[in-house]
Amino acid sequence: MRILFLGAPGAGKGTQCKKLAKKCGLTHLSSGDILRDAVKNGTKAGVAAKEFMDKGQLVPDNVLIDLFREKLSAPDCAKGFILDGFPRNSAQGHSLDQLLSEINANLDVVIDLETPDEILEERITGRRVCPNKACNEVFHVKYSPPKVDGICDACGTALVHRSDDKAELVKQRLSVYHELTKPLVDFYQAKSLLHKVDGTGEQDDIFAAILKTLKVPC
Ligand code: AMP
């Protein structure tokens, strides 16, 4: 199965995609995680991306397209994948069509996690993430705090507050989402692939709603 998630920063895409990837045995491709990794490793893509990520702006399309061409053609995507955070504007949507045709694949379903901005701001600013790449667990200071303050329950690594999750950048990222990413909802609606899921409420209930929308159960 090949699934694409749309939704604003803080909508819970990362958390839900991770659960779904585990349940269905799919490869989870998060553009944010891939870019943060590239920045950390000082790759050419990382160097090109950093200044945009630091300002809460979109990284140039060509950087993402090159990264995703490589990822989508890797053997672990043959069993199916979940795209999380790419595409993020209409041009990237068209490029994804091209990348998929290069590997003779189609998307099966697009899920739009809908969440009001007031909820998103609180979710993003309170988010704390595990920087251990093999773990990447996500917590929230109020809604899902770790058992020991500041420490990942899963692997014991010190949690971090992503610099772009700080209040000053959150409004900028949400406005980028509304202006550039939201039009993709119509793009995929026109392809009859779109399913809207309410992104508010308990994580388990949202996950159950996502499973219900998948045409092919996994
Ligand atoms: P995320 O973790 O998905 O919120 O992404 C963090 C940051 O990475 C975003 O604010 C952008 O700067 C950058 N980014 C992630 N995905 C994309 C994309 N598809 N196109 C451009 N920039 C992206």
Side-chain angles (χ1 to χ4, degrees), residues 114-157:
E114 292 189 303
T115 319
D117 276 13
E118 317 78 80
I119 294 184
L120 294 170
E121 285 193 38
E122 199 194 6
R123 279 195 192 164
I124 303 174
T125 50
R127 179 159 65 185
R128 299 293 180 270
V129 295
C130 175
N132 171 7
K133 199 181 156 216
C135 178
N136 272 342
E137 204 63 45
V138 180
F139 298 85
H140 189 281
V141 287
K142 186 166 160 194
Y143 301 116
S144 51
K147 292 193 186 89
V148 179
D149 191 29
I151 301 294
C152 177
D153 288 353
C155 72
T157 304

Short mmCIF file of all heavy atoms in Angstrom, two decimals, residues 114-157:
data_model
loop_
_atom_site.label_atom_id
_atom_site.label_comp_id
_atom_site.label_asym_id
_atom_site.label_seq_id
_atom_site.Cartn_x
_atom_site.Cartn_y
_atom_site.Cartn_z
N GLU A 114 -7.19 16.78 9.74
CA GLU A 114 -7.69 18.15 9.92
C GLU A 114 -7.66 18.55 11.39
O GLU A 114 -8.27 17.87 12.23
CB GLU A 114 -9.13 18.24 9.44
CG GLU A 114 -9.28 18.08 7.94
CD GLU A 114 -10.70 18.41 7.53
OE1 GLU A 114 -11.62 17.75 8.06
OE2 GLU A 114 -10.88 19.32 6.71
N THR A 115 -6.99 19.66 11.67
CA THR A 115 -6.86 20.12 13.06
C THR A 115 -6.88 21.64 13.10
O THR A 115 -6.15 22.28 12.32
CB THR A 115 -5.52 19.63 13.67
OG1 THR A 115 -5.30 18.28 13.24
CG2 THR A 115 -5.51 19.67 15.18
N PRO A 116 -7.69 22.27 13.97
CA PRO A 116 -7.73 23.74 14.03
C PRO A 116 -6.40 24.34 14.51
O PRO A 116 -5.70 23.73 15.33
CB PRO A 116 -8.84 24.04 15.06
CG PRO A 116 -9.51 22.76 15.35
CD PRO A 116 -8.62 21.64 14.90
N ASP A 117 -6.09 25.55 14.01
CA ASP A 117 -4.81 26.20 14.34
C ASP A 117 -4.55 26.37 15.84
O ASP A 117 -3.42 26.22 16.29
CB ASP A 117 -4.75 27.59 13.68
CG ASP A 117 -4.29 27.49 12.23
OD1 ASP A 117 -4.26 26.37 11.69
OD2 ASP A 117 -3.95 28.54 11.65
N GLU A 118 -5.61 26.68 16.63
CA GLU A 118 -5.39 26.92 18.08
C GLU A 118 -4.81 25.66 18.72
O GLU A 118 -3.91 25.72 19.57
CB GLU A 118 -6.70 27.22 18.85
CG GLU A 118 -7.67 28.16 18.23
CD GLU A 118 -8.51 27.52 17.12
OE1 GLU A 118 -9.49 26.82 17.40
OE2 GLU A 118 -8.14 27.76 15.95
N ILE A 119 -5.32 24.50 18.30
CA ILE A 119 -4.84 23.23 18.86
C ILE A 119 -3.41 22.97 18.37
O ILE A 119 -2.54 22.53 19.12
CB ILE A 119 -5.78 22.07 18.45
CG1 ILE A 119 -7.13 22.28 19.10
CG2 ILE A 119 -5.19 20.71 18.82
CD1 ILE A 119 -8.13 21.16 18.86
N LEU A 120 -3.17 23.29 17.09
CA LEU A 120 -1.84 23.02 16.50
C LEU A 120 -0.75 23.78 17.26
O LEU A 120 0.29 23.23 17.59
CB LEU A 120 -1.82 23.45 15.03
CG LEU A 120 -2.72 22.64 14.10
CD1 LEU A 120 -2.81 23.30 12.73
CD2 LEU A 120 -2.20 21.22 13.96
N GLU A 121 -1.02 25.07 17.56
CA GLU A 121 0.01 25.89 18.22
C GLU A 121 0.40 25.29 19.56
O GLU A 121 1.58 25.19 19.88
CB GLU A 121 -0.52 27.32 18.42
CG GLU A 121 -0.52 28.09 17.11
CD GLU A 121 -0.74 29.58 17.32
OE1 GLU A 121 -0.22 30.14 18.30
OE2 GLU A 121 -1.45 30.17 16.50
N GLU A 122 -0.61 24.87 20.33
CA GLU A 122 -0.31 24.31 21.65
C GLU A 122 0.43 22.97 21.51
O GLU A 122 1.36 22.68 22.25
CB GLU A 122 -1.62 24.12 22.44
CG GLU A 122 -1.35 24.00 23.92
CD GLU A 122 -2.54 23.48 24.71
OE1 GLU A 122 -3.56 23.11 24.09
OE2 GLU A 122 -2.42 23.43 25.95
N ARG A 123 0.00 22.18 20.52
CA ARG A 123 0.67 20.88 20.32
C ARG A 123 2.13 21.06 19.91
O ARG A 123 3.00 20.34 20.39
CB ARG A 123 -0.04 20.10 19.21
CG ARG A 123 -1.29 19.39 19.66
CD ARG A 123 -1.64 18.39 18.58
NE ARG A 123 -2.96 17.83 18.74
CZ ARG A 123 -3.60 17.19 17.76
NH1 ARG A 123 -3.03 17.05 16.58
NH2 ARG A 123 -4.78 16.70 17.95
N ILE A 124 2.39 22.03 19.03
CA ILE A 124 3.76 22.17 18.52
C ILE A 124 4.69 22.73 19.60
O ILE A 124 5.79 22.21 19.81
CB ILE A 124 3.82 23.09 17.28
CG1 ILE A 124 2.92 22.57 16.17
CG2 ILE A 124 5.25 23.20 16.76
CD1 ILE A 124 2.81 23.51 14.97
N THR A 125 4.23 23.79 20.29
CA THR A 125 5.15 24.42 21.25
C THR A 125 5.44 23.49 22.44
O THR A 125 6.50 23.59 23.06
CB THR A 125 4.61 25.78 21.74
OG1 THR A 125 3.27 25.60 22.17
CG2 THR A 125 4.65 26.83 20.66
N GLY A 126 4.50 22.57 22.75
CA GLY A 126 4.72 21.66 23.88
C GLY A 126 5.39 20.35 23.48
O GLY A 126 5.66 19.49 24.31
N ARG A 127 5.66 20.22 22.19
CA ARG A 127 6.22 18.94 21.70
C ARG A 127 7.69 18.79 22.12
O ARG A 127 8.47 19.75 22.06
CB ARG A 127 6.11 18.94 20.17
CG ARG A 127 6.64 17.72 19.49
CD ARG A 127 6.06 17.56 18.12
NE ARG A 127 6.43 18.62 17.17
CZ ARG A 127 5.94 18.70 15.94
NH1 ARG A 127 5.07 17.81 15.51
NH2 ARG A 127 6.31 19.67 15.13
N ARG A 128 8.07 17.61 22.54
CA ARG A 128 9.48 17.29 22.83
C ARG A 128 9.79 15.99 22.09
O ARG A 128 9.00 15.04 22.17
CB ARG A 128 9.73 17.10 24.33
CG ARG A 128 9.42 18.32 25.18
CD ARG A 128 10.37 19.49 24.92
NE ARG A 128 10.06 20.63 25.76
CZ ARG A 128 9.21 21.61 25.43
NH1 ARG A 128 8.59 21.58 24.26
NH2 ARG A 128 9.00 22.62 26.25
N VAL A 129 10.92 15.97 21.40
CA VAL A 129 11.21 14.79 20.57
C VAL A 129 12.50 14.11 20.99
O VAL A 129 13.43 14.75 21.49
CB VAL A 129 11.28 15.16 19.07
CG1 VAL A 129 9.94 15.65 18.56
CG2 VAL A 129 12.35 16.20 18.81
N CYS A 130 12.53 12.80 20.75
CA CYS A 130 13.75 12.05 21.03
C CYS A 130 14.66 12.19 19.81
O CYS A 130 14.25 11.86 18.69
CB CYS A 130 13.42 10.58 21.27
SG CYS A 130 14.91 9.59 21.48
N PRO A 131 15.89 12.69 20.01
CA PRO A 131 16.78 12.90 18.87
C PRO A 131 17.47 11.63 18.38
O PRO A 131 18.18 11.66 17.37
CB PRO A 131 17.80 13.90 19.41
CG PRO A 131 17.86 13.62 20.87
CD PRO A 131 16.50 13.11 21.28
N ASN A 132 17.27 10.51 19.09
CA ASN A 132 17.88 9.24 18.67
C ASN A 132 17.15 8.75 17.42
O ASN A 132 15.97 8.41 17.47
CB ASN A 132 17.75 8.25 19.83
CG ASN A 132 18.15 6.84 19.43
OD1 ASN A 132 18.66 6.61 18.31
ND2 ASN A 132 17.93 5.89 20.32
N LYS A 133 17.90 8.70 16.31
CA LYS A 133 17.30 8.39 15.01
C LYS A 133 16.57 7.05 15.00
O LYS A 133 15.55 6.88 14.33
CB LYS A 133 18.42 8.39 13.97
CG LYS A 133 17.92 8.52 12.57
CD LYS A 133 19.07 8.48 11.58
CE LYS A 133 18.51 8.04 10.25
NZ LYS A 133 19.39 7.20 9.49
N ALA A 134 17.09 6.10 15.76
CA ALA A 134 16.47 4.77 15.77
C ALA A 134 15.17 4.78 16.58
O ALA A 134 14.41 3.82 16.56
CB ALA A 134 17.44 3.76 16.36
N CYS A 135 14.90 5.87 17.28
CA CYS A 135 13.74 5.92 18.18
C CYS A 135 12.74 6.98 17.71
O CYS A 135 11.62 6.69 17.35
CB CYS A 135 14.23 6.21 19.60
SG CYS A 135 12.92 6.36 20.81
N ASN A 136 13.20 8.25 17.71
CA ASN A 136 12.35 9.36 17.24
C ASN A 136 11.00 9.46 17.94
O ASN A 136 10.04 9.96 17.36
CB ASN A 136 12.09 9.24 15.72
CG ASN A 136 13.17 9.92 14.91
OD1 ASN A 136 13.91 10.74 15.45
ND2 ASN A 136 13.28 9.58 13.65
N GLU A 137 10.91 8.98 19.18
CA GLU A 137 9.63 9.04 19.92
C GLU A 137 9.25 10.51 20.15
O GLU A 137 10.11 11.38 20.27
CB GLU A 137 9.83 8.32 21.25
CG GLU A 137 8.59 7.77 21.89
CD GLU A 137 7.89 6.68 21.07
OE1 GLU A 137 8.55 5.77 20.56
OE2 GLU A 137 6.68 6.79 20.96
N VAL A 138 7.94 10.77 20.18
CA VAL A 138 7.46 12.15 20.35
C VAL A 138 6.64 12.23 21.64
O VAL A 138 5.80 11.37 21.90
CB VAL A 138 6.59 12.58 19.15
CG1 VAL A 138 6.08 14.00 19.33
CG2 VAL A 138 7.37 12.46 17.85
N PHE A 139 6.89 13.29 22.44
CA PHE A 139 6.15 13.50 23.69
C PHE A 139 5.54 14.89 23.67
O PHE A 139 5.86 15.72 22.81
CB PHE A 139 7.10 13.37 24.90
CG PHE A 139 7.72 12.01 25.01
CD1 PHE A 139 8.89 11.69 24.30
CD2 PHE A 139 7.14 11.01 25.79
CE1 PHE A 139 9.45 10.42 24.39
CE2 PHE A 139 7.69 9.75 25.87
CZ PHE A 139 8.85 9.45 25.17
N HIS A 140 4.68 15.17 24.67
CA HIS A 140 4.15 16.53 24.84
C HIS A 140 4.18 16.84 26.33
O HIS A 140 3.77 16.00 27.14
CB HIS A 140 2.71 16.61 24.30
CG HIS A 140 2.21 18.02 24.24
ND1 HIS A 140 1.74 18.69 25.35
CD2 HIS A 140 2.14 18.89 23.21
CE1 HIS A 140 1.39 19.91 24.99
NE2 HIS A 140 1.63 20.07 23.70
N VAL A 141 4.65 18.04 26.67
CA VAL A 141 4.83 18.36 28.08
C VAL A 141 3.53 18.22 28.88
O VAL A 141 3.55 17.87 30.05
CB VAL A 141 5.43 19.77 28.28
CG1 VAL A 141 6.90 19.81 27.89
CG2 VAL A 141 4.66 20.83 27.50
N LYS A 142 2.38 18.47 28.22
CA LYS A 142 1.10 18.41 28.93
C LYS A 142 0.30 17.15 28.60
O LYS A 142 -0.23 16.49 29.48
CB LYS A 142 0.30 19.65 28.52
CG LYS A 142 -1.00 19.87 29.26
CD LYS A 142 -1.46 21.31 28.97
CE LYS A 142 -2.94 21.47 29.24
NZ LYS A 142 -3.41 22.74 28.65
N TYR A 143 0.23 16.78 27.32
CA TYR A 143 -0.68 15.71 26.90
C TYR A 143 -0.07 14.31 26.91
O TYR A 143 -0.80 13.34 27.07
CB TYR A 143 -1.26 16.03 25.52
CG TYR A 143 -2.01 17.32 25.52
CD1 TYR A 143 -1.58 18.40 24.75
CD2 TYR A 143 -3.13 17.50 26.33
CE1 TYR A 143 -2.26 19.61 24.79
CE2 TYR A 143 -3.81 18.70 26.37
CZ TYR A 143 -3.37 19.75 25.59
OH TYR A 143 -4.04 20.94 25.64
N SER A 144 1.23 14.21 26.71
CA SER A 144 1.85 12.87 26.80
C SER A 144 3.27 13.02 27.31
O SER A 144 4.25 12.79 26.59
CB SER A 144 1.83 12.15 25.44
OG SER A 144 2.36 12.98 24.43
N PRO A 145 3.38 13.46 28.61
CA PRO A 145 4.72 13.69 29.17
C PRO A 145 5.48 12.37 29.36
O PRO A 145 4.85 11.33 29.60
CB PRO A 145 4.43 14.35 30.52
CG PRO A 145 3.04 13.95 30.86
CD PRO A 145 2.30 13.70 29.58
N PRO A 146 6.81 12.42 29.27
CA PRO A 146 7.58 11.20 29.56
C PRO A 146 7.50 10.89 31.06
O PRO A 146 7.20 11.78 31.86
CB PRO A 146 9.00 11.59 29.16
CG PRO A 146 9.03 13.08 29.28
CD PRO A 146 7.66 13.57 28.96
N LYS A 147 7.79 9.63 31.41
CA LYS A 147 7.71 9.25 32.84
C LYS A 147 8.72 10.04 33.67
O LYS A 147 8.45 10.50 34.75
CB LYS A 147 7.97 7.75 32.99
CG LYS A 147 6.84 6.92 32.37
CD LYS A 147 6.95 5.44 32.79
CE LYS A 147 5.92 4.59 32.06
NZ LYS A 147 6.41 4.06 30.77
N VAL A 148 9.95 10.19 33.11
CA VAL A 148 10.97 11.00 33.79
C VAL A 148 11.14 12.27 32.96
O VAL A 148 11.36 12.20 31.73
CB VAL A 148 12.33 10.24 33.85
CG1 VAL A 148 13.39 11.11 34.53
CG2 VAL A 148 12.17 8.91 34.54
N ASP A 149 11.01 13.42 33.63
CA ASP A 149 11.03 14.70 32.92
C ASP A 149 12.24 14.82 31.99
O ASP A 149 13.38 14.65 32.41
CB ASP A 149 11.05 15.83 33.98
CG ASP A 149 10.81 17.17 33.33
OD1 ASP A 149 10.11 17.21 32.30
OD2 ASP A 149 11.34 18.18 33.85
N GLY A 150 12.00 15.09 30.72
CA GLY A 150 13.08 15.36 29.78
C GLY A 150 13.80 14.14 29.24
O GLY A 150 14.77 14.27 28.49
N ILE A 151 13.33 12.94 29.61
CA ILE A 151 14.02 11.71 29.17
C ILE A 151 13.06 10.82 28.38
O ILE A 151 11.92 10.59 28.80
CB ILE A 151 14.57 10.92 30.39
CG1 ILE A 151 15.54 11.77 31.23
CG2 ILE A 151 15.22 9.61 29.98
CD1 ILE A 151 16.83 12.14 30.52
N CYS A 152 13.54 10.29 27.26
CA CYS A 152 12.70 9.43 26.42
C CYS A 152 12.36 8.12 27.14
O CYS A 152 13.28 7.41 27.59
CB CYS A 152 13.43 9.14 25.10
SG CYS A 152 12.51 8.03 24.03
N ASP A 153 11.07 7.81 27.23
CA ASP A 153 10.63 6.55 27.87
C ASP A 153 11.18 5.34 27.14
O ASP A 153 11.47 4.31 27.74
CB ASP A 153 9.09 6.41 27.78
CG ASP A 153 8.37 7.37 28.71
OD1 ASP A 153 9.05 8.05 29.51
OD2 ASP A 153 7.13 7.44 28.60
N ALA A 154 11.29 5.46 25.80
CA ALA A 154 11.62 4.28 25.00
C ALA A 154 13.10 3.94 25.02
O ALA A 154 13.47 2.76 25.06
CB ALA A 154 11.16 4.49 23.56
N CYS A 155 13.99 4.99 25.00
CA CYS A 155 15.43 4.65 24.87
C CYS A 155 16.34 5.40 25.86
O CYS A 155 17.54 5.20 25.84
CB CYS A 155 15.89 4.90 23.42
SG CYS A 155 16.01 6.65 23.01
N GLY A 156 15.76 6.29 26.69
CA GLY A 156 16.56 6.94 27.73
C GLY A 156 17.37 8.14 27.27
O GLY A 156 18.13 8.72 28.04
N THR A 157 17.21 8.53 26.00
CA THR A 157 17.95 9.70 25.48
C THR A 157 17.28 10.99 25.99
O THR A 157 16.06 11.03 26.19
CB THR A 157 17.91 9.67 23.93
OG1 THR A 157 18.45 8.43 23.49
CG2 THR A 157 18.70 10.81 23.33
#
